[in-house]
Amino acid sequence: MSSARPSLAIVIHTEEEFDWNGGFFRSNNQVTHGKKLTEFCEKLIAVGAKITFALDYAFVDSTEGQKVIAYFKEHHYNQVEFATHLHPWVNPPFTENNGGKDEVDNDKSYPGNLIKELEYQKLKALTEKITDLCDTPPKTYLAGRYGIGDNTNDILQKLGYKIDVSISPFTDFSHQQGPDFSAFNNDVTIKNGVINWPHTTAILSALGLITKYFNKEPSKFEQWQKRPFSKLLMKLLRVKRQRLSPEGFALSDLKKITNTQLTLGQESFIFSFHSPSVQAGLTPYVKTPAEEAAFFQTTLDYINWFQQSCNGQTTLIKENSMEECRHV
């Protein structure tokens, strides 16, 4: 590992509220958590955080969403970045017709599954909307449901994007018609001029050698889970995959993830969550006021710990030089 200070990018999937288990509907475009999100982020910035808002169309098209954007443009312009987050089911144009249904089929909820022209037109519409509201074109992209596809890289280049943060390491979504990231670890790569910075994910184990093995051979993690003997061995060795996120993970988990990845030489981290989680009852991760308070405290404590105990610094996605990129 180099002598550079580790950096932490806080990426918020900034989006509408919907039933996570209830399908994908164009009419599910309500945003009621704008005030809570503003208050939440104001407190994070007060302890030194910088925040990348990955904005989807429903959020930027809502009254509350526009108030959030206007507030941070006025008060914290240098501490925030406005990026894009494509939820195709609420993002125009809706030229695929879909039989006139309000519900969008599961496979079409992944932007990378759309035909190239439609994926391009939807991201173009979102890019232009954010540019108009934020006075600067976004350079960072996050696909809804991490759903990049074969055409995404070309589209990002055409629309002027520099960084994509859609990769979810060690994870295969193909069983639900999504992308397969099982061959990816947390390495930052560059493809045709677009930097790919994965959402930080760690494979933890009671045995450090196992952690190193899966980091070097990420596809083996999914393979081991599908074989009875190796699956039992993983259980005995307490092997688990964890995301650097306050959604479903305690502060102790977040520290273990970070320390594990620092030991492996990782220097640039992404800490992420969904914007509706700041308000109780809007996501499965935060159901009660008590869970809402705990969610905020975990987030605040982790950011403080990263800065103080890891000698880390917070950064915007667009600010990171990504010197550790490798070409693919």
Side-chain angles (χ1 to χ4, degrees), residues 200-319:
T200 302
T201 307
I203 302 298
L204 304 181
S205 171
L207 190 62
L209 289 175
I210 295 295
T211 298
K212 291 180 180 179
Y213 170 72
F214 283 127
N215 188 70
K216 289 182 179 179
E217 302 286 344
S219 60
K220 300 297 185 184
F221 180 76
E222 286 286 342
Q223 293 175 18
W224 276 41
Q225 291 193 104
K226 295 173 183 177
R227 299 169 183 163
F229 174 76
S230 55
K231 188 174 182 179
L232 176 61
L233 183 60
M234 290 172 75
K235 186 174 182 180
L236 292 172
L237 293 172
R238 300 199 297 277
V239 178
K240 51 190 175 182
R241 173 181 56 210
Q242 293 189 330
R243 173 69 62 85
L244 191 63
S245 170
E247 294 177 324
F249 300 105
L251 179 61
S252 58
D253 296 322
L254 304 179
K255 291 179 179 180
K256 288 178 184 176
I257 294 166
T258 306
N259 285 326
T260 296
Q261 294 306 122
L262 283 170
T263 300
L264 291 170
Q266 184 171 342
E267 297 178 353
S268 299
F269 295 77
I270 289 181
F271 175 87
S272 66
F273 59 89
H274 299 81
S275 65
S277 285
V278 303
Q279 184 169 314
L282 298 182
T283 71
Y285 301 108
V286 182
K287 298 177 182 178
T288 66
E291 290 180 345
E292 179 186 311
F295 179 85
F296 168 71
Q297 196 61 49
T298 296
T299 301
L300 188 67
D301 289 347
Y302 175 74
I303 293 170
N304 278 321
W305 174 83
F306 186 88
Q307 293 179 120
Q308 296 167 14
S309 297
C310 300
N311 190 32
Q313 57 188 336
T314 63
T315 185
L316 302 175
I317 294 289
K318 66 181 182 180
E319 290 178 339

Side-chain angles (χ1 to χ4, degrees), residues 45-205:
I45 289 172
V47 299
K50 293 183 178 182
I51 298 170
T52 296
F53 292 99
L55 303 159
D56 88 338
Y57 199 93
F59 190 90
V60 299
D61 198 43
S62 70
T63 299
E64 286 210 26
Q66 291 177 10
K67 287 180 180 178
V68 171
I69 292 168
Y71 177 85
F72 286 101
K73 273 179 57 182
E74 179 180 355
H75 298 285
H76 298 291
Y77 186 78
N78 293 323
Q79 284 77 44
V80 302
E81 173 184 1
F82 298 114
T84 56
H85 183 41
L86 181 55
H87 278 188
W89 59 95
V90 292
N91 199 121
F94 302 114
T95 55
E96 71 273 32
N97 190 18
N98 204 43
K101 296 187 299 181
D102 182 34
E103 185 173 10
V104 174
D105 295 337
N106 180 71
D107 68 315
K108 297 301 190 294
S109 68
Y110 295 99
N113 288 344
L114 302 176
I115 61 171
K116 184 174 183 178
E117 181 61 20
L118 185 55
E119 183 182 2
Y120 169 77
Q121 290 296 338
K122 283 181 180 289
L123 185 53
K124 182 173 181 286
L126 177 57
T127 302
E128 291 174 348
K129 183 81 170 179
I130 292 173
T131 301
D132 289 344
L133 286 171
C134 303
D135 301 325
T136 184
K139 298 299 180 184
T140 300
Y141 176 64
L142 169 62
R145 309 192 73 197
Y146 313 102
I148 55 176
D150 293 338
N151 299 313
T152 306
N153 185 271
D154 289 342
I155 291 170
L156 293 177
Q157 290 181 72
K158 189 172 183 179
L159 291 173
Y161 285 86
K162 302 299 182 183
I163 304 177
D164 174 69
V165 294
S166 305
I167 292 173
S168 181
F170 309 106
T171 308
D172 183 4
F173 297 111
S174 59
H175 65 285
Q176 55 189 30
Q177 301 172 292
D180 181 3
F181 297 120
S182 60
F184 291 83
N185 58 17
N186 292 279
D187 289 350
V188 179
T189 59
I190 186 166
K191 180 181 179 182
N192 300 327
V194 177
I195 293 170
N196 296 281
W197 183 1
H199 270 52
T200 302
T201 307
I203 302 298
L204 304 181
S205 171

